[in-house]
Amino acid sequence: MLFAQGLDRTGTGMWAAASVLYFTFVCGLDARQVGLLLGVAAVAGIAGSPIAGRLAERLPLRGLLIGSHLLRLGTMGSLLVVHGFPALLLMVSLTCLAERAAKTLEMLFATRVAGERRGTYQALFRTVANAGYAVGAGVAAAALALGTLNAYRALILANALSYVLAAALVRQTREPDGHGQAPAGTANESADVPSPAPSPWRDRGYLLFVLLDMPMNIDDSVLNVGLPLWLVHHTRAPHTLVPAFLVLNTVLVVLLQLQFSRRAEGPRRAATAVAAYGVTMLTCCAVLAASTGAGAWPASVALLLAAVAVTMAELMRSVSSWELAVSLAPPQARASYLGAAGMSQAVQKSAGPLLLTGAVMTAGPVGWLLLGTAVTGLSLVQHRACLRRLTTIERSARPDSTTATTPLLRTG
């Protein structure tokens, strides 16, 4: 499964590095159309997680994941012959939806197979994924240097091939245990008719976690959008520094992800990591604010320090968010709950860039300080809310507890 994910991310890295140029120079779209295309597709991707989680309660997980890869194979292959804006919008939106569904299904697979070692699995996956993205981006850079139509087509075919290989590898795995049913030994085992599994959409406590988890993903937009644009428009640092942000991020993730996963192992440590995330993001934002108006060298050093800080925040978030999403969900409905939790990243990818460009950067250095302060405050709220819910779950699980589990979960 890790090998399949590595191939998938390699293909995705190739396409991500070339997609904007392809839509511009091959399909003939203007900047407004490209922005609208990617924005609408990102919104469509939000639905992928809950749809995948709902289906995983009823259908085999392995088959759903293979189906997600094959759907992307079809939509990606169609880009070779489709160039009109409406058709491109449909195909790219379906690709984003299937991609988000695949990520949720991979998360469910790891949760069922790795069990209590899911933090280690997540760390391994993050290492493999970042290596795949780096390789894919390198291949794309070599192809884009040619700048020919055939070079773009080769990247599309290579990405499509990665889906085929990933699907073939997933087919070689065994279906993980559990399909959203309550495990043996849980409450209501003596009842003739088991009680229906709780719904995440009626669980106010879990919805609060999902809502607060959205700003806990802002590091992604800061790294990919905030840092490059701030460098170009508000500092004297050389533009050639922009690729160094992603290189530095990739190297640090590969080297440190396993160490960070051990520190965030277990739900209570993960809740503590959420609070540390806010402080780290505040540090990043403060450094970015301080880089304004400085000379080329001081600004370059400050921006690199900000890239390190946002990467540290990413390392904390990538493990803690998943651990809490699993730990706070009832076991008998984990698939649908994780489907709801998967919306956090998709929503942030849609709203994060708009927040940074439309509000934070418009306000200048003060905007960064306000963003860091807001994220820190929300991280502390998330920290306390998670601890309260964990305490409630632990109390309801005690043998002498007379309170039913489901109502506790539904009231948060």
Side-chain angles (χ1 to χ4, degrees), residues 101-264:
K103 289 182 177 180
T104 298
L105 294 168
E106 290 166 350
M107 181 177 177
L108 282 167
F109 184 96
T111 299
R112 293 176 180 176
V113 172
E116 297 300 321
R117 301 296 306 280
R118 55 181 173 264
T120 301
Y121 184 96
Q122 170 72 344
L124 290 171
F125 161 66
R126 290 273 303 163
T127 302
V128 170
N130 275 270
Y133 280 129
V135 171
V139 173
L144 293 176
L146 299 175
T148 64
L149 178 60
N150 287 334
Y152 283 107
R153 288 174 174 171
L155 290 176
I156 292 176
L157 289 173
N159 190 19
L161 178 61
S162 73
Y163 300 143
V164 175
L165 296 176
L169 288 171
V170 171
R171 191 173 182 274
Q172 302 303 313
T173 65
R174 293 183 299 171
E175 177 70 20
D177 295 332
H179 297 283
Q181 304 299 320
T186 58
N188 301 317
E189 63 181 349
S190 60
D192 294 331
V193 180
S195 61
S199 168
W201 309 110
R202 298 177 181 176
D203 188 336
R204 289 174 294 178
Y206 199 83
L207 288 179
L208 176 62
F209 162 75
V210 175
L211 180 64
L212 291 173
D213 196 45
M214 293 175 187
M216 298 301 106
N217 285 269
I218 193 65
D219 58 273
D220 178 76
S221 292
V222 171
L223 175 68
N224 295 297
V225 178
L227 279 173
L229 290 181
W230 191 256
L231 180 149
V232 171
H233 297 292
H234 296 273
T235 75
R236 300 176 185 176
H239 295 183
T240 53
L241 192 65
V242 171
F245 298 149
L246 294 179
V247 172
L248 186 61
N249 174 264
T250 300
V251 171
L252 289 176
V253 169
V254 171
L255 292 178
L256 300 177
Q257 187 67 76
L258 279 171
Q259 297 182 28
F260 273 76
S261 70
R262 286 194 289 268
R263 295 179 181 179

Side-chain angles (χ1 to χ4, degrees), residues 53-54 88 117 141 168 183-184 221 344 353 369 374 399 408:
R54 189 66 174 172
L88 283 173
R117 301 296 306 280
S221 292
S344 296
L369 295 176
L408 283 171

